[in-house]
Amino acid sequence: MTDPFKEIEKYEEFLRIKPLYWDQKAEEFVWLDTRLIPFEEVYRRTKDYKRVGEAIRSMEIRGAPAIGVSAAFGMALAAKYSRATTLEGLLGDLEDAKKYLASTRPTAYNLFWALDRVWKRILEASEKGDLEEVREAVLDEAMRIYVEDIKNNVEMGRIGSKLIDDGDRILTHCNTGALATAGFGTALGVVRYAWYEGKKIHVITTETRPVLQGARLNVWELKKEGIPFTLITDGMPGLVFMKGMADLAIVGADRIILTGHTANKIGTYMVALAANDNEKPFYVAAPTSTIQAVTDPSEIVIEERDPDEVRKVMGKYPITLPDVNVYNPSFDITPPKLITAIITEKKIAYPPYIKSLRELVSP
Ligand code: MRU
């Protein structure tokens, strides 16, 4: 088996932005607090898995792949710093940690995928009955998930860039860049790859109410890369497509099921409608770890967040009266008929998704 701590060195060139990592010397998990971006770049660190859960819940860390990878490192912290002296005690602590981390955000499938994968490794390692072996295995698995995420993103970028032409104007919604993953990004990773290949593209990003992942995080990432962009409000994609100002849309996903139904940031469905009505491609880019192997869209849990996210900007500036009734679902579901293709690290899946996605996830 390869050493993930060595493997990561191969991807340094793609990690101009390092959103999260394991500090081997301090034996701590480190992440960039995305709530403060674009105004401040503050890294936070912890040895406490509960703090990781809190960071996910409060959206210091957000974006489905970043949530999954961080939860895996949360498990590594739980294993490393558990005071248990027996295998049963350690497994009990790890079960508690898994439950706690799984409760942080309900839609991001990568969270459950990563926790299940770590759990499988824990069970394998515990067969020998050695506590130290289990502790090391959890960190090793978390590191593997971390490195794979970056590797998959770069691969998705390479594959997806084939769909982007020189001169394309690309509309995106929510942040799917380095800040939403272990590094490089999914949909924004495709954009980034096309830019690295020398394609002269222009990004149109929505602001992405209510948490403003577009206005804050995309703007910060695109500026850092020097990729030209225009910021629009969430109500504008219809007009932008109608006026012929965008050539395609590309977004990420929090959860995709085998039928192709895709849960992503609230407003994605409207972007898909606008692109389709104007006969422009609407692409989804996501690693296969985002795909849940079920066929019933009602299995997709849609997170509803604090109404104050809508009443105030960034929890600080009120934009309405304090007691107004609010509906604040964090995600919507785009039906497969509106999705031109789904870009993954393995290949581009085309309709009918029930066939192409099933092929992708079957072992
Ligand atoms: O609420 P968020 O910021 O976690 O939502 C993020 C999204 O909707 C992203 O598009 C999705 O997680 C894919 S990130 C590569």
Side-chain angles (χ1 to χ4, degrees):
M1 272 219 270
T2 50
D3 177 358
F5 284 102
K6 282 248 145 30
E7 181 98 356
I8 189 65
E9 289 166 15
K10 288 194 215 156
Y11 296 94
E12 277 307 319
E13 62 169 309
F14 298 105
L15 292 176
R16 296 183 194 170
I17 298 169
K18 225 171 176 178
L20 46 94
Y21 60 93
W22 179 262
D23 181 336
Q24 238 183 321
K25 216 161 150 207
E27 301 192 308
E28 285 177 340
F29 177 59
V30 185
W31 69 97
L32 193 55
D33 185 343
T34 68
R35 289 178 317 176
L36 306 177
I37 287 175
F39 305 111
E40 281 176 81
E41 290 172 34
V42 178
Y43 278 96
R44 312 223 181 255
R45 44 176 66 236
T46 190
K47 289 184 166 65
D48 179 1
Y49 79 84
K50 288 204 167 145
R51 177 68 185 90
V52 179
E54 193 190 300
I56 295 171
R57 208 187 291 274
S58 67
M59 294 178 75
E60 289 172 41
I61 299 167
R62 33 67 53 200
I67 293 169
V69 173
S70 302
F73 280 123
M75 291 298 285
L77 290 173
K80 189 153 227 29
Y81 297 108
S82 155
R83 297 217 178 101
T85 51
T86 63
L87 186 60
E88 290 68 37
L90 180 61
L91 289 180
D93 285 352
L94 288 172
E95 207 166 354
D96 290 347
K98 182 174 183 270
K99 263 194 208 135
Y100 173 75
L101 290 161
S103 73
T104 52
R105 296 213 51 200
T107 308
Y109 189 67
N110 304 59
L111 170 62
F112 310 103
W113 172 87
L115 288 172
D116 285 347
R117 183 164 147 178
V118 168
W119 192 251
K120 204 169 148 228
R121 182 78 189 270
I122 289 169
L123 294 183
E124 275 164 23
S126 64
E127 268 168 27
K128 292 195 187 137
D130 177 22
L131 261 76
E132 277 325 299
E133 194 142 329
V134 175
R135 290 190 160 105
E136 274 167 34
V138 185
L139 175 59
D140 182 75
E141 197 62 27
M143 256 323 272
R144 279 175 202 285
I145 291 172
Y146 170 73
V147 178
E148 268 174 41
D149 189 61
I150 297 163
K151 191 174 161 184
N152 288 346
N153 290 341
V154 174
E155 198 46 23
M156 218 180 321
R158 191 185 67 76
I159 296 172
S161 176
K162 297 192 176 98
L163 299 171
I164 312 260
D165 289 330
D166 192 26
D168 268 350
R169 294 151 308 164
I170 306 164
L171 192 140
T172 194
H173 184 63
C174 197
N175 173 263
T176 57
L179 295 173
T181 62
F184 201 71
T186 60
L188 210 59
V190 172
V191 169
R192 190 169 253 136
Y193 203 100
W195 177 250
Y196 290 180
E197 284 182 324
K199 291 178 188 164
K200 290 193 178 43
I201 49 177
H202 187 100
V203 175
I204 301 163
T205 174
T206 61
E207 57 175 355
T208 323
R209 284 272 295 148
V211 182
L212 302 170
Q213 290 91 333
R216 297 184 305 104
L217 312 181
N218 285 348
V219 161
W220 184 80
E221 287 202 34
L222 291 164
K223 254 184 167 283
K224 259 195 195 301
E225 293 284 10
I227 303 174
F229 67 90
T230 302
L231 176 65
I232 61 172
T233 69
D234 293 358
M236 295 181 190
L239 182 78
V240 166
F241 275 112
M242 187 177 271
K243 287 187 84 171
M245 293 167 73
D247 301 296
L248 63 112
I250 183 163
V251 300
D254 264 73
R255 194 187 287 219
I256 301 171
I257 63 167
L258 294 177
T259 52
H261 286 87
T262 296
N264 192 50
K265 180 53 54 197
I266 190 74
T268 302
Y269 176 38
M270 292 206 303
V271 171
L273 286 170
N276 273 264
D277 195 45
N278 292 281
E279 290 165 11
K280 298 291 185 211
F282 176 85
Y283 299 120
V284 172
T288 47
S289 50
T290 304
I291 303 172
Q292 183 182 17
V294 297
T295 52
D296 180 0
S298 72
E299 293 213 26
I300 304 177
V301 185
I302 299 286
E303 176 182 12
E304 279 190 41
R305 293 185 63 85
D306 187 343
D308 269 350
E309 283 185 354
V310 176
R311 296 187 192 116
K312 297 178 191 167
V313 174
M314 293 317 291
K316 284 187 199 141
Y317 314 105
I319 53 163
T320 186
L321 300 173
D323 54 354
V324 293
N325 192 30
V326 159
Y327 177 46
N328 187 22
S330 207
F331 304 97
D332 59 24
I333 298 173
T334 302
K337 65 175 181 196
L338 299 180
I339 302 173
T340 314
I342 299 176
I343 304 156
T344 75
E345 78 281 8
K346 292 188 182 163
K347 64 176 187 177
I348 302 175
Y350 289 96
Y353 295 113
I354 192 75
K355 187 166 175 282
S356 56
L357 292 182
R358 208 187 275 282
E359 268 167 27
L360 273 183
V361 295
S362 43

